[in-house]
Amino acid sequence: MKLIPLFRVLLSVLFLGLVAQSSFAQTDTLRLTLPQAEQQFLQKNFTLIAQKYNINLSEAAVQQAKLWDNPNFQFGFNAYNPNTSKVLPLRNPSGDILNPTGGAYSWQLQQVLNLAGRRSKLVALNEANTEVQQAIFQDVMRSLRYQLAQTFGNLASEQAQYAFIQEERARLANLLEAFRAQLKLGVISEYEVTRLELEQRNADASINDLRNQISQDEATLRILLADSSSTYYVTEFQIRDSASPLLNQLLDQAVSNRPDLKAAQRQSAYAQQNLTYQKSLATPQLMVGANYARFGDAYPNYYGLQVAMDLPFKNRNQGNIQAAKIGIEQSNQSINQSQLQVKQEVISAYEQWQHAQQLQANLDPGYRQRIQDISKNATIDYQKRVIDLVSFIDKVRSYKDAQLNFINLSNQLYQAQQQINYVTNSKTF
């Protein structure tokens, strides 16, 4: 693929950023491409790592739901015999089982059984929640990756503007130094020097604004990369020609790939599974058990079986079942909202990309060449008095606006491409 000619200029200006960035008080400088940034982001981003723990938590809930309830064991013995006034009569020395003097004890073993497939339905419910958490994780990653790409492009654009304005300021400073010397000789008027100093102050103000914005974006980039150092990142990216995607293709990709839509759909499946689980809770649990009593029941040695169940007369989990039905309706509306949002976001991103493409297509190939040497030639002509001060400032400003516009147009196209990648969750560009 061929690099867009306009962006070659941006890359060449960005190269000057290696010199310009030295004015920033950073301990280290690192050139960074977007693929390198994404790799570090996926490995280290704290928000992404924290969100992934939600998947681990839901998987642990699935494992817990598969476990059976523990059996219950009870043991009891006679602590005091009022007939013999003995404490802890653990033995029956008389040997008479009809009138024992000690040795009474009992035990029982119980197990709760879930009916109506409650345990398997709880497992399925937690598995559905795991799928929801996986989709949410993918959506968080999609959003953070888009933020990374946005910050990356803005930073590259700002660094290119910073390097360009620094270069222009240096040319103006040389001119101003020469004119100050001529002012002392009385060759030129004081107004011309003052007017050039004003232009220099304007350049300083622009440089300061860019420095502040670069500092903010550098901080954002370091947060996304989980970098606690003060590394100064010089970002690089390339806009390459590619086949123009069709809107219907992008819509199909978005429907297939968007994790937020998948999360809404899986949330609906979770709501359906929750209704199934809540209905199973309407069936009471069954408790079965066995017990033995020595000298403590109808017979000297009593062996018994136990069966217990709550009678579902008043509480049949009606409220939770009704809430689960409402949850299904609510999740269906969320799917409708997500589908509408996906469609409109894709349409909007596609239109913005078309606008950015059109702006670049409207640029006359010779326009760039015609303005390339405006500032340099204007400075030479002004020094030779071929043009006056007003014409000089007008030409310098025109050149500055044109060059900054080129940089901004490249960033706009890059941002439009990244937005399409974001709304379709694909690598269209």
Side-chain angles (χ1 to χ4, degrees):
M1 293 183 178
K2 296 172 61 178
L3 195 64
I4 291 179
L6 174 61
F7 203 71
R8 290 175 181 163
V9 179
L10 176 58
L11 292 179
S12 63
V13 175
L14 245 178
F15 179 77
L16 298 175
L18 287 174
V19 179
Q21 63 83 30
S22 62
S23 61
F24 288 88
Q26 305 294 339
T27 57
D28 296 303
T29 299
L30 181 65
R31 298 182 69 89
L32 191 67
T33 63
L34 185 56
Q36 291 172 338
E38 286 184 342
Q39 182 179 8
Q40 184 172 340
F41 156 77
L42 292 174
Q43 294 174 348
K44 297 184 178 181
N45 183 266
F46 293 126
T47 303
L48 205 59
I49 294 174
Q51 184 64 37
K52 192 172 183 179
Y53 283 123
N54 287 335
I55 300 177
N56 298 334
L57 290 173
S58 61
E59 291 174 341
V62 172
Q63 181 182 2
Q64 180 62 35
K66 292 179 179 179
L67 302 178
W68 284 73
D69 293 323
N70 289 325
N72 177 269
F73 178 77
Q74 298 181 33
F75 180 79
F77 55 88
N78 190 9
Y80 175 72
N81 190 331
N83 296 326
T84 61
S85 300
K86 288 185 178 181
V87 179
L88 299 177
L90 302 180
R91 300 177 58 193
N92 181 25
S94 66
D96 188 353
I97 62 174
L98 298 179
N99 297 292
T101 58
Y105 64 88
S106 66
W107 59 261
Q108 68 176 5
L109 180 66
Q110 296 177 324
Q111 176 67 55
V112 174
L113 301 178
N114 291 312
L115 304 181
R118 179 187 298 187
R119 187 170 65 92
S120 62
K121 290 178 174 63
L122 180 59
V123 171
L125 180 65
N126 284 291
E127 287 175 342
N129 181 57
T130 299
E131 293 180 352
V132 172
Q133 295 303 323
Q134 289 171 341
I136 292 176
F137 169 77
Q138 293 295 327
D139 193 45
V140 170
M141 182 169 62
R142 177 180 74 101
S143 298
L144 289 175
R145 178 177 281 167
Y146 178 53
Q147 184 184 5
L148 175 66
Q150 277 186 313
T151 303
F152 199 90
N154 289 334
L155 191 55
S157 176
E158 291 155 4
Q159 289 172 340
Q161 293 180 54
Y162 180 82
F164 168 72
I165 296 179
Q166 282 278 58
E167 183 182 18
E168 286 301 295
R169 189 196 181 283
R171 183 180 290 115
L172 185 61
N174 292 334
L175 177 64
L176 188 58
E177 182 180 358
F179 272 44
R180 282 173 177 158
Q182 294 183 30
L183 176 62
K184 293 180 180 179
L185 299 176
V187 177
I188 61 173
S189 67
E190 185 176 355
Y191 170 75
E192 288 190 76
V193 174
T194 303
R195 190 65 184 84
L196 292 175
E197 287 176 341
L198 177 60
E199 288 300 307
Q200 188 180 53
R201 296 294 178 268
N202 291 337
D204 289 339
S206 297
I207 289 172
N208 185 66
D209 290 341
L210 284 170
R211 284 169 58 96
N212 292 336
Q213 189 59 51
I214 289 173
S215 295
Q216 293 177 17
D217 287 338
E218 286 280 350
T220 300
L221 184 60
R222 286 192 291 267
I223 291 173
L224 290 169
L225 300 181
D227 184 355
S228 60
S229 70
S230 58
T231 301
Y232 181 87
Y233 289 103
V234 178
T235 56
E236 302 174 354
F237 66 85
Q238 293 181 348
I239 298 178
R240 296 182 180 274
D241 294 324
S242 62
S244 298
L246 299 177
L247 179 58
N248 289 336
Q249 292 176 337
L250 296 178
L251 288 170
D252 292 340
Q253 284 182 338
V255 171
S256 300
N257 300 336
R258 282 282 290 263
D260 53 338
L261 182 56
K262 290 181 181 179
Q265 293 168 342
R266 291 174 181 177
Q267 186 65 44
S268 179
Y270 174 86
Q272 292 282 356
Q273 191 61 49
N274 183 49
L275 176 60
T276 302
Y277 174 67
Q278 294 301 329
K279 287 181 177 179
S280 72
L281 294 181
T283 301
Q285 293 176 310
L286 177 66
M287 188 276 292
V288 296
N291 66 309
Y292 170 80
R294 177 176 171 82
F295 305 146
D297 215 304
Y299 312 105
N301 293 288
Y302 174 82
Y303 298 90
L305 295 177
Q306 298 175 337
V307 178
M309 175 185 286
D310 293 336
L311 299 179
F313 293 155
K314 296 182 178 180
N315 182 357
R316 297 188 300 277
N317 207 36
Q318 302 97 315
N320 289 331
I321 291 174
Q322 181 63 25
K325 292 179 179 179
I326 296 173
I328 293 175
E329 296 298 326
Q330 185 181 45
S331 62
N332 289 337
Q333 296 304 317
S334 296
I335 291 177
N336 294 335
Q337 171 65 24
S338 296
Q339 289 174 338
L340 177 61
Q341 181 174 340
V342 167
K343 180 178 180 180
Q344 294 303 320
E345 285 183 355
V346 171
I347 292 174
S348 175
Y350 184 75
E351 290 176 348
Q352 293 179 51
W353 171 74
Q354 283 186 317
H355 297 160
Q357 284 279 84
Q358 189 63 40
L359 284 174
Q360 292 229 359
N362 290 338
L363 287 175
D364 182 0
Y367 173 69
R368 176 76 199 190
Q369 187 61 41
R370 291 196 300 270
I371 68 168
Q372 186 63 43
D373 296 326
I374 287 181
S375 179
K376 180 179 178 181
N377 293 337
T379 302
I380 296 174
D381 291 343
Y382 180 50
Q383 287 177 313
K384 294 180 178 179
R385 295 303 185 179
V386 176
I387 59 174
D388 59 13
L389 178 62
V390 175
S391 297
F392 168 73
I393 293 176
D394 180 68
K395 289 186 177 183
V396 169
R397 287 185 175 179
S398 297
Y399 173 71
K400 174 184 173 184
D401 292 342
Q403 294 288 10
L404 294 180
N405 185 53
F406 282 136
I407 296 173
N408 288 330
L409 284 178
S410 296
N411 188 40
Q412 287 176 17
L413 180 57
Y414 166 83
Q415 296 292 349
Q417 290 180 343
Q418 294 303 317
Q419 188 174 10
I420 285 184
N421 289 346
Y422 170 67
V423 298
T424 59
N425 194 36
S426 65
K427 287 291 186 180
T428 303
F429 295 101

